[in-house]
Amino acid sequence: MSRGMFSSFIDNDIYKQSEKEWIVELERYHKYWYDLVVNPSEVADYFDTRKLIVDYLRRIKKQVEKNLEKRFVYFICSRTKIRFNISKKPFYNPITKTVKIHVLIGKDEERKTISCKFFDFHENKFLRPKIELTDKYITFTDSRGDITTASIHDFLEEANISLGIDSKVEYVGYTKNPHTRPTNGAHTGLSDVLYKIADENRDSLIYFNVFKVITRAISSDSMLNFTIANAMTDEVNVELEGKLIEKCFIFYFDSINQSRNKNKELLELKKSLHKISAENKINSIHVCYEFEEPNEYGLFSSSKVPPQLGHIFTVKKTEEDVEITNGSEIFESVAK
């Protein structure tokens, strides 16, 4: 499918005269640990994690371009530092089939024990894998000799382990090329944020998000309602769509690390909201950011927003300003 394949739809007179609003929801996300880019060969000389990440993001970009092209809105997040405790070996309980693994949390290295099970879908049973640990990676070998290596963050997310840790959004941006930004380190603002996070002894995670944007139009005269994906009409082009979503999240999370360009960003948001209001009669944007399957790596916060699994808010243009409020009448009505 190509973006704008139903572009003729926006020429419908009833649709053009209808009052509209955007409904923005997370379609999918891709996460990686920035340390894997900075230190790409820590696992083994032949295991270049940076190349694996860049190649993966390049493939994701191609997939998105083939299917209703969109822009990636990314979050640079910090999380409390966590490492495997390699001084204590994993313990397997043959009765419960549970493996206990020890971790160290924060700069004070608080000790905690996590429990997990390893399930073999081919043999349809829980396994006792051979486990090897470094402080950042876990490698396990199953009964067939197959070897799997994962970073501590990927492992914890996949195992859905909860440790009471949230991802603090430090920076919001958007890009067409996730494989080059921020992995190439060319952006000064991003480099500053990443440096500050590392200096605070926290881990840096990058979340690349793709959103579905639905335009809902209501015609009070004809009593007709329209609901259609913006990517299918390209009523608002892909660049402006990406910038609008980026700006909405910048001012929702309101990170102190992005205060340097706040006035410029606000001016751009005002202009963009005025443009889609004047040209397309789109007067509000309703946003819901939440993982389809909740886990602790979807627990987001910022310097202004408390940790929560779901972030729902509404952005509207007023006469002179921009209004951002928590909650949304649209998502609240759906929940009911």
Side-chain angles (χ1 to χ4, degrees), residues 48-244:
D48 188 334
T49 52
R50 184 186 188 281
K51 185 177 186 302
L52 289 176
I53 290 170
V54 170
D55 289 346
Y56 170 73
L57 292 173
R58 187 179 283 115
R59 291 196 300 273
I60 293 301
K61 177 196 173 184
K62 288 182 179 178
Q63 290 175 11
V64 170
E65 288 178 342
K66 287 181 180 178
N67 298 282
L68 300 176
E69 183 185 3
K70 298 180 182 182
R71 294 293 180 259
F72 296 84
V73 176
Y74 60 85
F75 302 160
I76 297 179
C77 297
S78 66
R79 288 180 70 87
T80 300
K81 181 180 178 181
I82 184 165
R83 298 291 184 268
F84 290 115
N85 185 354
I86 58 176
S87 66
K88 301 192 73 172
K89 292 184 178 181
F91 173 77
Y92 176 74
N93 187 323
I95 299 175
T96 62
K97 311 295 184 183
T98 299
V99 179
K100 288 188 176 181
I101 298 174
H102 306 276
V103 296
L104 302 171
I105 301 175
K107 61 182 179 181
D108 295 328
E109 298 190 335
E110 177 190 356
R111 299 186 176 206
K112 281 196 176 182
T113 302
I114 60 176
S115 298
C116 57
K117 293 183 178 181
F118 294 84
F119 190 79
D120 189 316
F121 289 96
H122 295 285
E123 298 186 15
N124 197 32
K125 67 178 183 179
F126 290 102
L127 300 175
R128 179 182 182 176
K130 174 187 174 184
I131 297 176
E132 298 177 65
L133 298 175
T134 68
D135 62 337
K136 298 178 181 178
Y137 296 91
I138 181 171
T139 298
F140 43 93
T141 307
D142 64 21
S143 57
R144 296 186 303 277
D146 294 333
I147 299 173
T148 302
T149 297
S151 75
I152 187 168
H153 291 294
D154 288 340
F155 170 73
L156 292 173
E157 181 177 18
E158 185 66 26
N160 200 10
I161 302 295
S162 295
L163 293 167
I165 300 174
D166 58 277
S167 294
K168 183 180 179 183
V169 178
E170 308 282 3
Y171 189 99
V172 178
Y174 94 107
T175 184
K176 179 181 180 180
N177 302 305
H179 60 292
T180 63
R181 189 182 226 187
T183 53
N184 62 3
H187 192 290
T188 305
L190 302 185
S191 300
D192 288 348
V193 171
L194 292 166
Y195 174 78
K196 287 178 182 177
I197 295 172
D199 193 48
E200 293 171 358
N201 204 24
R202 292 167 66 86
D203 289 333
S204 305
L205 274 68
I206 318 292
Y207 293 77
F208 283 101
N209 305 293
V210 177
F211 292 91
K212 52 185 176 184
V213 179
I214 303 297
T215 303
R216 189 171 80 165
I218 300 174
S219 173
S220 56
D221 294 334
S222 64
M223 302 296 289
L224 291 175
N225 294 345
F226 303 89
T227 302
I228 190 166
N230 181 63
M232 298 184 75
T233 63
D234 203 32
E235 182 177 10
V236 176
N237 67 58
V238 65
E239 281 294 324
L240 183 54
E241 178 187 88
K243 287 181 180 179
L244 269 166

Side-chain angles (χ1 to χ4, degrees), residues 302-316:
S302 72
S303 51
K304 296 290 181 66
V305 178
Q308 52 201 55
L309 287 170
H311 294 268
I312 298 175
F313 59 98
T314 304
V315 180
K316 292 182 179 179

